[in-house]
């Protein structure tokens, strides 16, 4: 009777021993699975952390890159302003080839998508100082939005105009110029090209340091802006100082019947200014075959524009010059010459065509005036010239 109980007790001991054995067997397996899960979670968190850091760094770099780029597009809130704003400093580092190429850019859409006020570019071809600058200061005063100034002087000349002067900071990069040679026309092209960089410049007037305005700014602006033509002397002179300077080697680009002569001092509109700076057809011919006693500044532009756009030329200059004394250079006028009667002869002695109609206003400028003429010119400015 006792044996079954013992057996039962022994049998009861066997399950406990088996459970302990199973527990010890199962524990390593669970611990291993738990470790794997822990390791997996850790790896997952590490991966997430790495990508989060990388994403955060990318965002920071993108923000920095964006902030670095933004100022060049902002300025005053419009991107087109960067294109239409004229250069703030005329003393650039472009060579002539680069300058002429840059100046040749032409908008194909004629309607401007902004308010454009057309300006006159006054281009002064000088050796050095402008002795009549105080007279020009009076002429320009109050019309700052309607004009631009460009000065081509000798490279060695240092400008000394005060900040209040309209000539302050208006000197362009220049090169040496020889009278009667192609370097003269190259300087004029350089002036035109620099002026073309300001998209608001519509008319371009070439002047010298001895030129002066015969009328006030309003009269000159309206005269030029309302004209259907540009003003460049261009005529066929059969004598030795006209056709006699022609070289047959200029054919076929230029024939004898196309050869023209005119004053160096001109006014052209924007289209003709661009035609001048982009020319590669006539320039080589004139540079090679028009040398003294062929004076290229009297023939190159008149001939080229007469061939290309004769309907746009008035065939006369706006700058009065006295050649009555003969010689290679016109008369120069000093202090003793400056009287009301002197200018009365200029104003009343001419008749010309303006937009196809007769006009007694033929000249807007005059030359040559010596530095000694400045004081009497200032004395006549308000009464005779109305400025």
């Amino acid at each position: 009777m006792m044996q079954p109980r013992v057996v039962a007790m022994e049998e009861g001991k066997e399950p406990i021993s088996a459970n302990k054995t199973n527990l010890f067997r199962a524990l390593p397996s669970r611990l291993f699975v738990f470790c794997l899960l822990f390791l997996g979670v850790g790896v997952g968190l590490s991966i997430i952390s790495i990508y989060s850091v990388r994403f955060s760094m990318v965002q920071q770099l993108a923000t920095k890159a964006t902030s670095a780029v933004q100022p060049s597009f902002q300025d005053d809130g419009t991107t087109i302003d960067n294109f239409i704003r004229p250069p703030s400093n005329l003393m650039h580092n472009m060579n002539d080839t680069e300058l002429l190429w840059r100046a040749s850019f032409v908008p194909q859409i004629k309607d401007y998508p902004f308010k454009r006020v057309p300006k006159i570019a006054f281009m002064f071809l000088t050796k050095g100082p402008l002795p009549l600058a105080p007279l020009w200061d009076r002429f320009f005063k109050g019309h700052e939005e309607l004009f631009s100034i460009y000065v081509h002087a000798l490279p060695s000349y240092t400008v000394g105009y005060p900040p209040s002067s309209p000539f302050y900071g208006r000197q362009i990069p220049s090169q040496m110029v020889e009278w009667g040679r192609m370097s003269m026309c190259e300087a004029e092209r350089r002036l035109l090209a620099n002026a073309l960089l300001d998209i608001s410049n519509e008319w371009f007037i070439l002047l010298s340091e001895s030129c002066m305005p015969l009328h006030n700014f309003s009269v000159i602006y309206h005269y030029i802006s309302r004209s259907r033509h540009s003003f460049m002397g261009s005529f066929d002179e059969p004598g030795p100082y006209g056709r006699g300077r022609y070289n047959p080697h200029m054919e076929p680009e230029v024939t004898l019947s196309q050869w023209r002569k005119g004053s160096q001092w001109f006014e052209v509109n924007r289209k003709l200014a661009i035609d001048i700076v982009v020319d590669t057809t006539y320039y080589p011919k004139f540079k090679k075959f028009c040398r003294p006693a062929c004076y290229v500044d009297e023939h190159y532009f008149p001939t080229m524009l007469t061939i290309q756009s004769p309907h746009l030329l008035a065939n006369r200059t706006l700058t009065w010059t006295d050649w009555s004394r003969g010689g290679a250079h016109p008369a120069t006028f000093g202090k003793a010459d400056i009287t009301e009667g002197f200018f009365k002869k200029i104003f009343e002695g001419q008749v010309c065509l303006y937009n196809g109609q007769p006009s007694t206003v033929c000249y807007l400028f005059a030359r040559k005036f010596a530095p000694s003429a400045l004081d009497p010119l200032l004395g006549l400015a308000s009464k005779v010239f109305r400025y």
Side-chain angles (χ1 to χ4, degrees), residues 35-255:
C35 290
L36 286 177
L37 289 174
F38 183 80
L39 181 62
V41 171
V43 171
L45 290 174
S46 298
I47 294 172
I48 293 173
S49 298
I50 290 172
Y51 278 97
S52 297
V53 171
R54 288 183 178 179
F55 180 74
S56 176
M57 292 177 64
V58 168
Q59 280 189 320
Q60 291 177 3
L61 290 173
T63 302
K64 290 181 179 179
T66 302
S67 63
V69 171
Q70 282 179 343
S72 64
F73 291 98
Q74 287 181 345
D75 286 343
D76 55 349
T78 170
T79 56
I80 197 173
D81 187 67
N82 295 324
F83 178 75
I84 65 176
R85 185 191 300 113
S88 58
N89 184 7
L90 298 186
M91 298 303 291
H92 53 73
N93 294 320
M94 290 184 284
N95 59 37
D96 278 0
T97 301
E98 296 167 336
L99 174 64
L100 295 178
W101 177 82
R102 175 63 183 87
S104 69
F105 290 3
V106 181
Q108 296 301 309
I109 299 177
K110 301 303 179 183
D111 294 330
Y112 293 91
F114 57 91
K115 183 180 179 181
R116 177 179 182 262
V117 179
K119 297 190 297 187
I120 298 177
F122 291 84
M123 308 179 303
F124 291 85
L125 182 59
T126 77
K127 293 180 180 180
L130 290 165
L132 301 183
L135 187 69
W136 284 100
D137 289 349
R138 291 181 59 169
F139 169 78
F140 287 126
K141 187 176 181 180
H143 305 280
E144 287 74 17
E145 295 183 355
L146 299 176
F147 71 88
S148 301
I149 294 176
Y150 303 85
V151 179
H152 188 294
L154 294 176
S156 59
Y157 176 67
T158 302
V159 182
Y161 300 108
S164 59
S165 171
F167 293 96
Y168 179 78
R170 304 310 298 177
Q171 187 168 335
I172 67 169
S174 62
Q175 296 185 26
M176 291 296 298
V177 175
E178 294 183 80
W179 178 74
R181 296 189 177 272
M182 192 47 128
S183 59
M184 183 77 75
C185 291
E186 289 169 347
E188 294 169 9
R189 295 178 85 193
R190 202 172 294 125
L191 279 163
L192 285 169
N194 277 277
L196 283 167
L197 298 183
D198 185 343
I199 201 169
S200 294
N201 288 331
E202 184 65 25
W203 306 282
F204 306 79
I205 302 174
L206 182 66
L207 302 157
S208 75
E209 69 268 28
S210 64
C211 289
M212 60 149 294
L214 292 172
H215 303 273
N216 63 41
F217 187 93
S218 296
V219 170
I220 290 178
Y221 185 88
H222 286 111
Y223 192 97
I224 291 175
S225 63
R226 294 173 181 177
S227 174
R228 299 197 298 265
H229 303 94
S230 289
F231 296 90
M232 178 173 291
S234 178
F235 54 91
D236 181 9
E237 183 176 311
Y241 304 113
R243 289 198 175 199
R245 296 174 176 175
Y246 174 76
N247 189 325
H249 288 96
M250 302 189 77
E251 292 185 349
E253 286 80 7
V254 181
T255 65

